[in-house]
Amino acid sequence: MLRELRRRDARRRGGAELTYRELAAATGWSHGIIGGYLGGRVLPPTDRFDVLVRLLGASPAEQGALATARDRVEEHRRPAAAPPVPEVVVPPSVPEVAVPRQLPPDVPAFTGRAAPLAGLDALLDAPSAGGPPGAGAPRVALIAGTAGVGKTALAVHWAHRVAGRFPDGQLHVDLRGYDPQQPVDPGDALAGFLRGLGVPASGIPATTAERAARYRTEVAGRRLLVLLDNASTADQVRPLLPGTGGCVVVVTSRDALGGLVARDGAHPVHLDRLDPAASRALLRRLLGPAADTGTVELLARRCAGLPLALRVAATRDPQDTTGGLDAFDAGGDPRTALRSVFSWSLRRLGPPAAAAFQLLGLHPGRVVDAPVTAALAGVPVPAGRAALDELARAHLVEPAGDGGYGMHDLLRAYSAELAAGLPDGAARAALDRLAAHLLDTATAAAAALFPHDHHRPARSTVDGPGAAQRWLDRHRAALVALARSRAAVELSRVLWRYLEVGGHYRDALALHTAAAAHDDAGAHTSLGAVHWLLGDHDRARVHFGRSLRGHRAAGDTTGEARATARLALVHERLGDHDEAAARLRDALAMYRAAGDRHGEAAQLLNLGFTYQRMHRHATAERHLRQAAGLFAELGDRRLEGYALGNLGAVESATGRPVQALGHLREALARCVEAGDRGGEGTAHATIGAAYHRAGRPAKALGHLRRALAIGRATGECGLEVEALNTLGDVLLAAGRPDAAARRFAAARALAERTGDRHGLAGALDGEARTRRAGPAGR
């Protein structure tokens, strides 16, 4: 067996067979012993047989088969009672070299991790790791990641997989860098390594420096795998690094250990949480093939991709309703209880970073940044940034892009538990500081995006509309959640336009409802507008009425004008176009009297749209051109696009398709540029109608389907009804009455539910035309 492996190994390498001298150098055994093993005169002991077959290139599967064959040979030889061939005694000048096998057992049901395993495999191909003993420097890999993410499991699994590449053995130590016990001193770890390498107690030096030197001497010229688990600092690792090549070192740590990467050339292997598919795969292996799919899905969602949590969850009753981190306590074992494991990471932090982690549990959103951290802690922004940097190095937060950081759900739960332990006064003060910071920055961001609205002064600045949009998108959830307890009215006044334009109607509903509870007239206007967009016209009319009364009582003409204009849109949607036009003319007069040219342009736009609904196309076109010109003069590209889009709709309806499509494409581009989801959807719907009139059904269908998708995604019922009706028109004209009937029926049902008289009329007319065209489904 061994001779054939030796010949195959030579063929694979394309060279001569390894000589006895080379094999003796690689294993530390004598030439005579090597000759006895390969010549078949001596059956190698089990441990030496394993070393030889791995050294000669046997695969893991072959290793198992060969080991079985070797055992059978041994059993066959026993009854023969043949006199054994004595081993050649190693001369005293060539001492036997110990081969340590210190790896912990491999991890059961190890799943996934193809990319990090490939990264570690690449380490073996580095010149100093795969070249002749003594060449170059040792290769060092640093596996870093958050607590419970499976760093040790990956390292141990990989080490077992490649152990055959290291005939001189494998060393392992748990440095306990994050345990509640005292971390292992490097000197103690070195003493353990030296004993494993065969150095007698009397030969182990007294000091750490001397032990490190003796260790480097012992491993020089040997091929060893060294696993340094749970390191907390680079200084804990450095004395344990071999001095020459031939060895590979794998370090695991919750800290990024930047010094080990920069100074010692460690190759970083960042270990992220398992994705949902890998989480489910691990659970199925742990629970067995008969595991209920619903149970697997439920546990995968609970465990945030943490292998430790998944393994603990697999040992518990999936119907256990134990909440929070209590659900991840495997029989009181602190090494598998997530709360304990997380707390050990926290103990390694400096006081400012530990305090910041606790305060982050108060934050109602999922993403934080340095200013937010500083506001919660009541410190300058550089100090908040330093605390976040330390938390990131400890993998207690993870980058979320653009300077932001987040936590997975289980770490968030742990942080929230800690925050619940803060004194009431400290928690209130931190939340007040956070609210003040978020409100001030939101004000600056809204002013950058919508400079023509009326904004209160802000101390903060935002670097342009792009940065403002990103900041608001990142902090939207926190702003809405914060409004339930603080600054609801102020946030409603600041964020109403951003939430409407972005199509965040559900968030707007929550925010303005909280503000309207304080009987703020402006909040009632904004809340009514959201109900109008969502198709609840009765509620919209109630809130606009409250807003009108409040603004009139306060003598707020601008607020009254805005509420009047919004109420007019309810009348338009309910089919009372004359009343809508009258109220819009009232609002236009109020804005003009106040000298508010932007408000004036907005009402010219609304009047143009309403006159278009009334088929007064010439009057509509005049108002829309005036609105477009005024918006262009004021520099509001988004609403200029709205005016051009409505102008295009008039041109399409009056037989001017070329002009119409030009204006409509411009409107679409402006809305996309501004991130205006509702405007984008309306532009697609109107372009679809224009293409339908121009006899280009394929183009029409593409735009209408995009409009329908946007309407359904945002919940804007009016847009959805409009898209469905026009889709029905296109499909009917294409000779597909069955498909058209389904679109008209869906539009009718939605219009009846919302009271959209204009949309309902279109749906009923479409159904009548479909019946005249022939039976549906033919």
Side-chain angles (χ1 to χ4, degrees):
M1 291 184 289
L2 294 175
R3 287 196 298 270
E4 177 55 35
L5 278 177
R6 184 180 175 210
R7 285 192 290 269
R8 190 183 73 176
D9 176 64
R11 290 195 299 271
R12 284 179 175 173
R13 292 186 290 101
E17 295 179 8
L18 292 172
T19 65
Y20 290 178
R21 183 179 299 277
E22 288 171 328
L23 290 169
T27 60
W29 308 331
S30 68
H31 299 174
I33 288 295
I34 294 292
Y37 294 159
L38 291 175
R41 301 186 305 277
V42 178
L43 184 65
T46 301
D47 59 340
R48 291 193 172 191
F49 183 83
D50 292 344
V51 171
L52 274 175
V53 296
R54 285 195 294 263
L55 187 61
L56 294 173
S59 69
E62 290 174 329
Q63 292 170 28
L66 290 168
T68 301
R70 180 242 170 244
D71 293 344
R72 287 175 180 167
V73 170
E74 184 177 39
E75 291 173 4
H76 178 72
R77 286 187 175 185
R78 282 175 188 157
V85 178
E87 290 195 18
V88 178
V89 177
V90 180
S93 59
V94 187
E96 185 72 22
V97 177
V99 180
R101 306 291 185 199
Q102 298 182 352
L103 292 180
D106 199 355
V107 180
F110 186 88
T111 302
R113 303 303 197 191
L117 284 170
L120 291 169
D121 286 342
L123 204 65
L124 297 181
D125 298 326
S128 60
R139 301 295 87 188
V140 181
L142 169 64
I143 303 174
T146 192
V149 80
K151 301 178 293 297
T152 297
L154 171 67
V156 170
H157 179 74
W158 180 79
H160 278 282
R161 203 174 72 163
V162 301
R165 302 281 294 271
F166 300 94
D168 293 315
Q170 303 89 39
L171 295 169
H172 167 265
V173 62
D174 182 356
L175 294 170
R176 297 202 306 266
Y178 297 90
D179 281 21
Q181 308 171 41
Q182 185 71 18
V184 173
D185 182 81
D188 294 338
L190 285 166
F193 279 180
L194 290 172
R195 287 191 294 271
L197 292 167
V199 177
S202 59
I204 297 177
T207 68
T208 297
E210 291 172 326
R211 290 177 181 181
R214 178 64 186 271
Y215 166 67
R216 291 192 294 271
T217 300
E218 290 294 327
V219 302
R222 303 180 69 179
R223 292 183 178 176
L224 281 161
L225 176 61
V226 182
L227 175 51
L228 308 177
D229 200 13
N230 290 315
S232 59
T233 66
D235 287 340
Q236 195 183 20
V237 170
R238 286 194 179 105
L240 307 177
L241 298 179
T244 57
C247 294
V248 168
V249 181
V250 178
V251 183
T252 74
S253 180
R254 299 182 193 181
D255 194 283
L257 299 186
L260 196 69
V261 175
R263 175 177 157 184
D264 302 283
H267 172 68
V269 178
H270 175 71
L271 195 60
D272 208 344
R273 292 174 286 131
L274 293 174
D275 62 31
S279 296
R280 292 191 294 269
L282 175 56
L283 283 168
R284 288 191 185 98
R285 294 189 65 185
L286 294 168
L287 295 171
D292 175 68
T293 299
T295 297
V296 169
E297 292 285 349
L298 173 64
L299 293 180
R301 286 195 302 272
R302 284 182 182 173
C303 295
L306 284 184
L308 176 59
L310 290 161
R311 291 179 181 276
V312 174
T315 69
R316 300 176 66 95
D317 180 355
Q319 304 307 316
D320 187 349
T321 58
T322 304
L325 297 179
D326 290 336
F328 301 97
D329 184 352
D333 178 359
R335 290 181 176 271
T336 55
L338 284 186
R339 188 180 287 107
S340 297
V341 171
F342 291 160
S343 72
W344 298 344
S345 290
L346 207 61
R347 289 192 185 98
R348 303 297 305 177
L349 300 174
F357 182 82
Q358 181 181 24
L359 288 165
L360 290 179
L362 296 172
H363 189 261
R366 301 192 68 85
V367 179
V368 299
D369 53 22
V372 162
T373 306
L376 281 166
V379 298
V381 172
R385 184 174 294 110
L388 272 182
D389 288 344
E390 186 174 350
L391 291 173
R393 288 194 300 271
H395 291 92
L396 288 168
V397 296
E398 52 194 18
D402 202 21
Y405 291 89
M407 298 181 203
H408 61 71
D409 288 345
L410 296 177
L411 271 174
R412 278 174 52 79
Y414 180 57
S415 179
E417 280 188 3
L418 296 177
L422 287 166
D424 287 345
R428 281 196 302 272
L431 284 170
D432 287 343
R433 291 191 300 267
L434 176 65
H437 161 70
L438 290 177
L439 175 60
D440 190 66
T441 312
T443 301
L449 283 175
F450 310 110
H452 302 288
D453 290 343
H454 302 284
H455 300 284
R456 70 185 187 93
R459 295 185 303 275
S460 301
T461 58
V462 179
D463 189 17
Q469 183 75 44
R470 290 192 298 275
W471 189 93
L472 287 168
D473 288 345
R474 171 187 294 168
H475 295 284
R476 182 178 74 247
L479 289 162
V480 173
L482 195 66
R484 295 188 178 99
S485 60
R486 284 166 172 77
V489 171
E490 294 86 349
L491 287 168
S492 173
R493 292 173 180 173
V494 166
L495 296 175
W496 70 271
R497 178 86 72 181
Y498 158 73
L499 294 173
E500 281 189 21
V501 167
H504 309 300
Y505 303 147
R506 299 299 174 186
D507 284 339
L509 192 64
L511 172 61
H512 301 318
T513 297
H518 298 273
D519 204 25
D520 179 73
H524 280 295
T525 301
S526 298
L527 183 56
V530 178
H531 283 303
W532 175 78
L533 287 164
L534 293 174
D536 194 339
H537 300 112
D538 289 337
R539 286 190 182 181
R541 185 157 45 189
V542 168
H543 286 291
F544 289 142
R546 291 176 181 172
S547 176
L548 274 173
R549 291 190 294 274
H551 285 304
R552 284 170 180 163
D556 182 351
T557 305
T558 301
E560 182 183 352
R562 179 177 168 232
T564 299
R566 292 291 179 123
L567 183 57
L569 297 181
V570 175
H571 287 294
E572 183 279 322
R573 187 62 55 84
L574 296 177
D576 192 350
H577 296 129
D578 290 331
E579 180 66 17
R583 288 186 177 272
L584 287 171
R585 287 191 291 269
D586 290 343
L588 176 63
M590 284 186 270
Y591 277 119
R592 281 175 170 166
D596 187 336
R597 302 185 71 217
H598 192 270
E600 176 186 351
Q603 300 328 305
L604 288 169
L605 168 61
N606 287 332
L607 275 165
F609 174 77
T610 302
Y611 287 133
Q612 175 196 349
R613 292 286 208 204
M614 299 167 73
H615 301 288
R616 295 173 57 181
H617 293 127
T619 305
E621 184 168 344
R622 184 174 69 254
H623 281 81
L624 292 169
R625 290 189 183 279
Q626 289 176 350
L630 192 47
F631 281 130
E633 181 183 336
L634 295 171
D636 191 333
R637 287 175 52 81
R638 181 180 70 88
L639 288 182
E640 182 190 358
Y642 266 55
L644 293 174
N646 280 279
L647 181 59
V650 172
E651 291 165 336
S652 175
T654 53
R656 291 172 284 169
V658 175
Q659 299 96 313
L661 285 170
H663 284 136
L664 288 168
R665 291 190 190 103
E666 179 68 15
L668 177 61
R670 298 284 181 89
C671 288
V672 171
E673 175 189 325
D676 187 334
R677 293 285 284 159
E680 179 185 349
T682 299
H684 277 301
T686 314
I687 291 173
Y691 275 125
H692 170 53
R693 290 191 181 100
R696 300 174 66 182
K699 282 276 193 181
L701 287 172
H703 283 282
L704 290 167
R705 284 168 179 152
R706 285 194 285 273
L708 183 60
I710 292 172
R712 286 174 172 169
T714 60
E716 188 170 342
C717 296
L719 173 58
E720 186 176 350
V721 169
E722 179 184 0
L724 285 168
N725 276 333
T726 313
L727 275 168
D729 289 337
V730 176
L731 293 167
L732 184 59
R736 299 171 58 189
D738 52 347
R742 290 195 296 272
R743 302 315 189 276
F744 288 131
R748 173 171 53 80
L750 184 56
E752 285 175 340
R753 177 169 65 81
T754 61
D756 182 349
R757 299 290 295 279
H758 180 84
L760 179 59
L764 292 172
D765 176 69
E767 288 185 317
R769 287 185 286 113
T770 303
R771 284 193 293 272
R772 287 196 298 271
R778 68 182 181 185

